[in-house]
Amino acid sequence: MAERMLAARLHGPGDLRLEEVPVPEPGPGEVVIRVERALTCGTDVKIFRRGRHPALGPLPSPFGHEVAGEVVAVGEGVTDFRSGMRVVAANSAPCGSCRMCQRGEFSLCPHLTFFFGAFAQYARIPAPIVRVNLYPIPDSLPAAAAALAEPLACALRGVEAAEIRPGETVLVLGGGALGLMLAHLAQLRGARVALADPHPERREAARSIGVDLLLDPRDALAAKLEEAFGERPDVVIEAVGRVEAWEAAAELARPGGRVILFGGCPVGTRASFDTARLHYQELTLRGVFHHHPRFVRAALSLLRAGRIPVDLLISGELPLTRLWEAFERMERRQGFKFAIDPWSDG
């Protein structure tokens, strides 16, 4: 293994640098992987522009969190993994011992260990993640597909929280990568699905996976939903992360409906809801954040079985030296996710 590597490190808002740094060595319980592919994410773009994230740590910081690769070194005490194994790492691990973890509320663990550093040639996986959220992958599963396990796990948790039943109607607000995953998973549960997004290319992507109803959110959504479904949806899932979308989600659910607030808004923002409608129409509003280890395992099972439209969600492949181009394309809505190859010269 080489002594130096290329890695993207965030120094501040809009200040992401490709630097030559030492290859990490594994500490007790850790592993180091040779990164095969890392995926870009909408959260990466937000962190890049804002220069911060609650879990990121001090700057300059390693960057990127969706990764798959090959184990090249293991630390003291690691027995389940060995050099040469292909693995995918989730981007966090709960402590397993706090009150939240004992209740099974792993995403609320105050001691979550996060991983950043996917956009590099090698990555060190923290010991808590190695212990509960690092998984072997078969040679038949491409690394880029395996790296989808983390965002897919978040989407799986969202649809489970929505308690979607066969024959119900679901509206997904937002046609980004996670919006498409949520729509597809709702379909797998037997729901009739509508998706609203202002960008025609995203609506076309949703059409390609068989979404029943495609909508422009600038139109009269309530009337169109009632015309198509006979009433407003049983479930509305917000996957945009904007206050106005949160508020619209609560307005668009039928009486007795469930609203999943999935997209994270900027810290400190506030949303307003019609209290009479919430009370007298008995709406359920639920925030859903992150994933649990069992959802990561379920995501990997779906990916292995070929039940996820990987080719639709990954819009192309770029070398690490063109990571900025991937972010720019995503901001221009010219793709969903990009697979980053840290070893390509092109």
Side-chain angles (χ1 to χ4, degrees):
M1 189 166 62
E3 295 182 355
R4 309 283 291 179
M5 69 173 185
L6 288 178
R9 305 209 317 153
L10 186 68
H11 286 253
D15 186 3
L16 182 63
R17 307 177 194 176
L18 189 60
E19 301 175 335
E20 188 177 276
V21 299
V23 171
E25 296 183 1
E30 297 180 335
V31 305
V32 172
I33 65 171
R34 181 185 187 273
V35 175
E36 290 185 45
R37 295 294 184 274
L39 296 183
T40 60
C41 168
T43 298
D44 293 329
V45 178
K46 292 178 184 177
I47 296 173
F48 169 56
R49 292 302 179 196
R50 297 172 185 171
R52 64 184 185 279
H53 187 276
L56 192 62
L59 300 180
S61 171
F63 199 49
H65 62 277
E66 298 177 13
V67 67
E70 178 186 339
V71 175
V72 293
V74 301
E76 180 183 353
V78 175
T79 58
D80 293 335
F81 300 95
R82 62 184 185 279
S83 292
M85 292 180 67
R86 297 180 70 241
V87 295
V88 60
N91 67 331
S92 74
C95 73
S97 58
C98 69
R99 287 188 176 183
M100 291 299 185
C101 288
Q102 290 171 4
R103 297 180 183 122
E105 297 173 342
F106 299 108
S107 57
L108 300 179
C109 171
H111 310 298
L112 277 173
T113 298
F114 284 93
F115 161 75
F116 289 95
F119 298 134
Q121 292 177 315
Y122 295 92
R124 180 169 53 205
I125 310 301
I129 296 178
V130 173
R131 188 170 62 249
V132 300
N133 243 347
L134 182 70
Y135 303 94
I137 56 175
D139 289 340
S140 60
L141 187 63
L148 277 173
E150 188 276 327
L152 182 60
C154 296
L156 280 165
R157 182 158 181 257
V159 296
E160 180 174 288
E163 299 179 355
I164 298 167
R165 295 179 287 271
E168 288 196 312
T169 55
V170 176
L171 168 65
V172 177
L173 296 177
L178 274 164
L180 292 175
M181 289 186 210
L182 289 160
H184 181 65
L185 294 172
Q187 289 176 309
L188 293 182
R189 283 181 166 243
R192 298 173 63 199
V193 179
L195 183 141
D197 193 282
H199 304 284
E201 63 275 14
R202 291 192 165 184
R203 296 197 296 272
E204 284 304 308
R207 186 190 308 279
S208 72
I209 60 171
V211 168
D212 299 279
L213 180 64
L214 303 172
L215 300 166
D216 188 325
R218 294 166 292 192
D219 295 337
L221 288 187
K224 290 182 178 294
L225 289 162
E226 289 170 4
E227 178 183 358
F229 294 153
E231 63 177 352
R232 297 187 186 193
D234 299 296
V235 175
V236 180
I237 305 177
E238 191 282 338
V240 179
R242 297 174 64 90
V243 169
E244 55 267 35
W246 277 38
E247 294 171 344
E251 289 297 320
L252 291 167
R254 68 161 174 83
R258 287 100 67 198
V259 178
I260 300 299
L261 303 170
F262 185 89
C265 297
V267 174
T269 54
R270 298 287 186 271
S272 297
F273 303 102
D274 183 337
T275 56
R277 185 159 197 271
L278 292 181
H279 179 73
Y280 292 107
Q281 296 189 5
E282 298 187 2
L283 297 184
T284 298
L285 270 62
R286 179 172 179 180
V288 176
F289 160 72
H290 210 47
H291 52 69
H292 301 173
R294 71 177 177 90
F295 292 108
V296 182
R297 294 192 292 270
L300 274 174
S301 293
L302 287 173
L303 289 162
R304 289 192 196 103
R307 302 190 68 191
I308 302 301
V310 172
D311 291 342
L312 175 67
L313 297 168
I314 300 177
S315 303
E317 187 169 293
L318 292 169
L320 182 59
T321 53
R322 293 169 63 188
L323 176 61
W324 296 260
E325 181 181 332
F327 291 164
E328 289 169 359
R329 289 191 192 182
M330 292 170 67
E331 288 182 310
R332 294 196 300 265
R333 304 297 190 271
Q334 294 177 349
F336 296 103
K337 287 178 169 288
F338 289 88
I340 301 302
D341 180 355
W343 302 95
S344 172
D345 295 329

